[in-house]
Structure formats: structure tokens, C-alpha cells
Amino acid sequence: MRIPQTGPAGRRGGIADGKRFMADGITITFAPVGRSGAGDLVVFTGDDLVLGGAAREVLGQGGCDLVARAAASEQFKGRASSALVLPAPAGVEADRLVVVGLGSEKDRAKLDWPVLGGFTAGKVAGRSARVVLDGPGGETGAREAAEFALGARLRSYSFDRYKTKKKDEDKRPSALTLMLAAHAEAERAARDSEAVAEGVVLARDLVNEPPNVLFPAEFARRAAELSGLGVEVEVMEPARLRELGMGALLAVAQGSAREPRVVVMRWNGGTPGEAPLALVGKGVVFDSGGVSIKSAGGMEDMKGDMGGAAAVVGALHALAGRKAKANVVGAIGIVENMPDGQAYRPSDIVTSMSGQTIEIINTDAEGRLVLADVLWHIQEAYKPKAIVDLATLTGAIIVALGQDIAGMFANDDDLAARLTAAGEATGEKVWRMPLIPAYDKAIDSKFADMKNTGGRHGGAATAASFLKRYVNDTPWAHLDIAGVAMSSTASEINRSWGAGWGVRLLDRLVRDVYEAR
Ligand code: BES
Ligand code: MN
Ligand code: ZN
């Protein structure tokens, strides 16, 4: 049977079609604070239950009194992440009144605006709402409003394109009107956060898509749509990969009926000729384990083994969408790891693009083989000033750190510190892990330059040490995102299986470090 190697033409959805098909399906607009309009009305309060001036004006004395009485009878204390839902007071034009708590003055000083936006969107799911964004602390800034909108949008995402009956419309608000004095500035600021939201949504879609739809050539086609935003995209097919000598990546791909691709995406928003930041992603569209096949339980999760590549594509979308003033090159290795008569096998020895040879011990340690060649190529061809790779690389990192923080291995303290800071700022947190000679020793091979596994102990660290052998002296950080990219814990800003993890982190890194000069 012939297997298609290219994507079906004219498929709907994706970047080219713009916002119309965005899976969050929510319209967000900014407006001055006003008394009339449709849907629910949302106001904020602190733990002193004092409403802001704008809310008092919209509610009138009667409305304020109702809030005070209802708060007392419902034991609503205005704590952060709590809400009181009431019928609209007489004289107030609204379906319902939703009072959202912001907590103490200390809570409010470090308010997480995306989380507040997500929480609020959750409270008015299935409806539309007007939100009085100017709160008890006074007027809300444009940047904060834009962050609120980002959180609301991310919370509203759900992947329901394959549900033919009941869609997930009741899980998100249909429309939000964010009312604040600085509405015009907020609308401008929100253009940037919209681009970031689109990047996250794109990454989530890619992670959630099944591998019969999102095979390597189709993944590459979707990445190539970034050219519509001014990104230079190069899609490399097997002949080119052979020419470059990518023997490690090609070995992984050879058991699949679907051809591999490597995609290089360049966003040149910075100083012409300045060395770029490189982002590299593991894109295994499905990881069966190959001949060293995985057990059946949970194997369906391995459609998400391209979470690193999805984050890179999503980040490039965000950067190009907001016209970031930085040079960034993204590169993804896209393969499927399958057992087959053609498949690579334990004991094979393959030659990577770097010339180093690898003895295959376990065909399920495939991600590092893909990354070895892509890392090498990107270093040789683009001489980047730093490299960040993202990969759902090991189950061991999930054992070590769980599902709420990614593992980071780095050869450069400065880059590590900047990634840590970007993680704190966005909530996409990373925790630095060690790279020491003992891990490197564990992958020495009897028959080749190295083997592709280092035994049971320190699995995430020996995998990182393997990658290190494919990075020269470029500052480099490897993020093992196996725990955070998929099967994600629900949060105020994410209810999706595929989290789109890393897009906001990378966007923030570029904003704070590479655009800040
Ligand atoms: N894709 C997996 C890692 C993974 C596991 C990601 C669970 C997300 C959730 C990777 O290719 C893999 O199979 N790693 C092996 C390495 C081992 C064979 C040395 C692992 O972690 O068991
Ligand atoms: Mn594997
Ligand atoms: Zn894998």
C-alpha cells in the first residue's frame, strides 16, 4: 500500500487561516468601563471586600449593598482564586454578577494576570461576559490587561476537532469584553500577547493531533505555514538528509513507512548578520519504541513525543507574530519510531553527521539520535550564539521531577540563569540538573564512540550527556520536557492534554535577553 508522504492539500485550520479556526473560539475585545451590555458582569474585590471605583460605579449603591450582604451569607472572603456568583442586582444590566476575589494587598502586589484571566474565563464558561478590569487597586495597566487576555484565551482552548457530536463550547466563554480606562493601550499591548497565545495554541494542536494525521511530512507542511508570517522555512527531505550525513536521525526513521523531515525556520527580526539564538526540538510524531518496543499500556501517549518540536514551531510563530527584534533559528527533527523489517536494531552501529559513531543498545532511546544530528547541523550551518533544545527525552526526568517542572541541563551558567528567570516569570519552570563526567563515562561503548543508553541509573542525565557530545563550545541548554509537555496537570490556563509547554518560556527568554539590547 502506498502511504502518502505529503499532507492533504487545502486542509482547513492552522496558521494560514488565521484566527477564524483558532481552537479557543473566544472573542476578546477591550472597551471603556460602561454600564450597559450583554452577558455576565465580572468585578474584582480584595479580601477587605471593598470594590474598586469602576465597579462601584457600574453596580450603583444597590449593587454594592447586595454584594456585601451576599458575601456575608455565602461566607465569601474575597480570597485569591475564589468567586461569588449572584443574580444581577436590580438596575444592573447583566445575566449574572460574578465577584472574583484577589486576596490581600500582598497577594495583589504579585498578582499573576494570566492566571486571573484563566480563572475568570472558567467562571463564565458557556456564556459571554463583561469584565470590569479596573480593580480595587485602581486602574489596570495595558500590559496587565493583555496578560489577562492571554490567560483567558489559553484557558479557553480545547482540542475538539475530532468530536463530531458534542463540541466543547460549554467549556469556554464565547466572548469577553475587558473594560478598563486604558482600553486603547491594552488593545495595542494585546496584539503581542495574541501572537504568543496563537503560538501556544499552535503547539497544543500539534501535540494533541494523532500521528496518522500528523506524520512527519504533514508536520513539516504545518511548520512551513510560518512563511506567511515572514519566517524563512527550509524543509529537508530524505535525499538531503543523506547528503548531509544524518545517519543517526535516518536510522530512527528507517522503520517507518513515513519519510522523515528536518525543518529549519529563520526569523530575522534583529540586527542583520548577528548570530542567532538557536531553538532545537525533538519531533518524534509517534514513539513505539521501535524493535525495543514499549509495552501497550499508555503507548497512545507517545503521539506527544514531538512536544519539543511543537514548542519550537509555536515559539517561532509567537516571535514572528509580534515581530520580535531578534534573530532566531528554529530546527526540528521529525521522524516516526516504528518496528519493521527495515527498522534499525539493537547492536547496529550508525554514523552521525558529526562523524562520531553510535552503538545502538535500545531503539527506544531514539530522541537523542534525532537531536544529535539536528544539533550538529544547526551549529555548523548557523554558528548560533546559544542553543536551547527541548525534548520529551526520558521517562527518568518524570521520575525525578514530576509533571510540574522541566529538567534543565546546561554547559553555561548564564544561559541557565536566564532560562530559570524566564521560567519564574511565565510559570513554565525549569530545574537545573547536573552534567558531570561520570554520566559521560556511562555512555562509552565497547564497539563504537558511544552507545545510545547509559543504563538504568540517572537516565535523564546520561541522555543529556549524550547530547553534550554533539555540542562544541556554544552555550547550550537542554530542557527535558517529558513530564510537562503532555498528559498535563490541569491549571487555570490549561485544560489541554498537550500543554504547548515552552512557547511562553522561549518567547520570554527572547524578549528579556535577546531583544533587551
Ligand atoms: N519518548 C520517550 C520518553 C518519554 C517517556 C516521554 C514518557 C514522555 C513520557 C523516550 O524516547 C524514551 O523512550 N526514553 C527511554 C530511554 C531508555 C530506553 C534509555 C525511557 O525513558 O525509558
Ligand atoms: Mn523512545
Ligand atoms: Zn521518544
Side-chain angles (χ1 to χ4, degrees):
M1 199 185 79
R2 259 183 59 80
I3 298 284
Q5 301 294 351
T6 53
R11 200 178 170 285
R12 293 167 93 214
I15 312 157
D17 294 328
K19 281 178 210 155
R20 281 177 301 133
F21 297 114
M22 267 185 61
D24 52 42
I26 174 180
T27 313
I28 300 180
T29 48
F30 296 89
V33 182
R35 299 181 63 118
S36 56
D40 289 350
L41 182 69
V42 180
V43 298
F44 299 131
T45 180
D47 64 355
D48 50 8
L49 294 179
V50 177
L51 297 165
R56 283 203 303 274
E57 204 163 293
V58 173
L59 292 179
Q61 194 54 51
C64 293
D65 291 347
L66 176 80
V67 170
R69 269 181 289 129
S73 74
E74 297 295 316
Q75 306 210 358
F76 172 75
K77 304 269 195 272
R79 291 202 185 99
S81 303
S82 73
L84 179 65
V85 180
L86 303 170
V92 173
E93 208 178 303
D95 295 339
R96 306 182 308 172
L97 175 61
V98 181
V99 186
V100 172
L102 303 182
S104 65
E105 227 176 290
K106 233 174 95 197
D107 293 336
R108 267 138 62 192
K110 52 175 175 57
L111 191 59
D112 189 321
W113 286 90
V115 166
L116 180 63
F119 177 80
T120 304
K123 285 292 157 196
V124 295
R127 326 170 71 96
S128 72
R130 291 174 296 134
V131 184
V132 181
L133 217 55
D134 286 336
E139 287 185 9
T140 295
R143 184 102 166 235
E144 286 73 22
E147 293 276 290
F148 181 96
L150 170 70
R153 197 172 278 296
L154 294 183
R155 170 59 172 265
S156 301
Y157 172 92
S158 77
F159 186 74
D160 62 1
R161 69 170 61 148
Y162 296 105
K163 292 183 176 170
T164 62
K165 296 185 183 74
K166 203 175 162 294
K167 298 276 189 182
D168 293 343
E169 255 99 41
D170 55 336
K171 292 186 182 152
R172 54 176 161 250
S174 53
L176 289 181
T177 305
L178 307 184
M179 305 193 293
L180 72 166
H183 62 96
E185 296 91 319
E187 198 173 310
R188 271 195 296 279
R191 282 184 213 143
D192 282 1
S193 61
E194 281 283 320
V196 176
E198 284 177 18
V200 177
V201 164
L202 172 58
R204 285 180 182 174
D205 276 351
L206 291 169
V207 175
N208 287 326
E209 282 281 21
N212 59 326
V213 173
L214 194 73
F215 47 91
E218 170 61 11
F219 196 131
R221 192 190 68 77
R222 294 200 193 181
E225 288 184 338
L226 288 175
S227 61
L229 293 171
V231 177
E232 266 172 41
V233 184
E234 180 193 9
V235 176
M236 294 190 261
E237 302 195 347
R240 177 71 184 134
L241 304 180
R242 277 194 294 275
E243 213 172 85
L244 287 169
M246 291 197 177
L249 181 147
L250 287 164
V252 177
Q254 77 194 33
S256 170
R258 312 283 203 174
E259 288 177 354
R261 296 286 187 269
V262 169
V263 182
V264 178
M265 298 152 280
R266 300 203 70 183
W267 170 249
N268 297 317
T271 312
E274 192 181 332
L277 165 69
L279 306 175
V280 173
K282 168 180 173 180
V284 178
V285 295
F286 182 70
D287 179 14
S288 70
V291 168
S292 314
I293 198 162
K294 291 179 182 292
S295 54
M299 201 200 272
E300 68 277 13
D301 282 355
M302 287 302 114
K303 73 170 181 176
D305 206 18
M306 28 53 69
V312 171
V313 174
L316 264 294
H317 180 106
L319 296 171
R322 67 173 184 78
K323 301 194 168 21
K325 291 185 178 53
N327 294 339
V328 179
V329 57
I332 54 179
I334 326 170
V335 303
E336 182 180 43
N337 187 23
M338 294 289 270
D340 175 84
Q342 307 275 344
Y344 79 137
R345 54 186 89 62
S347 76
D348 278 2
I349 294 176
V350 303
T351 303
S352 66
M353 184 182 168
S354 72
Q356 301 177 94
T357 57
I358 307 160
E359 179 193 6
I360 306 303
I361 302 297
N362 188 319
T363 63
D364 198 11
E366 84 297 339
R368 62 199 74 182
L369 299 169
V370 173
L371 287 174
D373 281 340
V374 180
L375 283 168
W376 191 263
H377 171 64
I378 226 64
Q379 229 174 167
E380 293 282 290
Y382 298 97
K383 310 279 181 239
K385 63 170 73 157
I387 306 175
V388 179
D389 81 66
L390 297 93
T392 49
L393 204 63
T394 69
I397 201 68
I398 313 178
V399 175
L401 297 178
Q403 293 215 270
D404 297 300
I405 190 162
M408 171 172 65
F409 297 84
N411 66 2
D412 185 272
D413 293 345
D414 192 46
L415 180 60
R418 288 167 188 279
L419 277 162
T420 301
E424 289 298 327
T426 55
E428 293 186 337
K429 293 187 182 158
V430 299
W431 192 261
R432 193 167 181 185
M433 306 285 282
L435 277 172
I436 55 170
Y439 300 133
D440 183 76
K441 201 155 171 283
I443 53 171
D444 282 338
S445 158
K446 251 196 305 230
F447 300 106
D449 295 336
M450 71 197 78
K451 51 188 182 182
N452 79 329
T453 64
R456 238 159 44 82
H457 296 163
T462 51
S465 283
F466 182 97
L467 299 181
K468 189 168 182 287
R469 293 194 183 200
Y470 295 86
V471 178
N472 293 326
D473 38 21
T474 311
W476 158 75
H478 155 60
L479 306 182
D480 193 334
I481 62 170
V484 292
M486 60 178 104
S487 188
S488 312
T489 35
S491 76
E492 295 299 353
I493 59 168
N494 182 43
R495 298 289 149 132
S496 162
W497 183 82
W501 196 100
V503 174
R504 295 174 60 229
L505 176 80
L506 295 172
D507 173 71
R508 188 68 182 229
L509 178 76
V510 171
R511 172 150 43 109
D512 289 353
V513 180
Y514 297 92
E515 290 184 275
R517 288 152 309 124

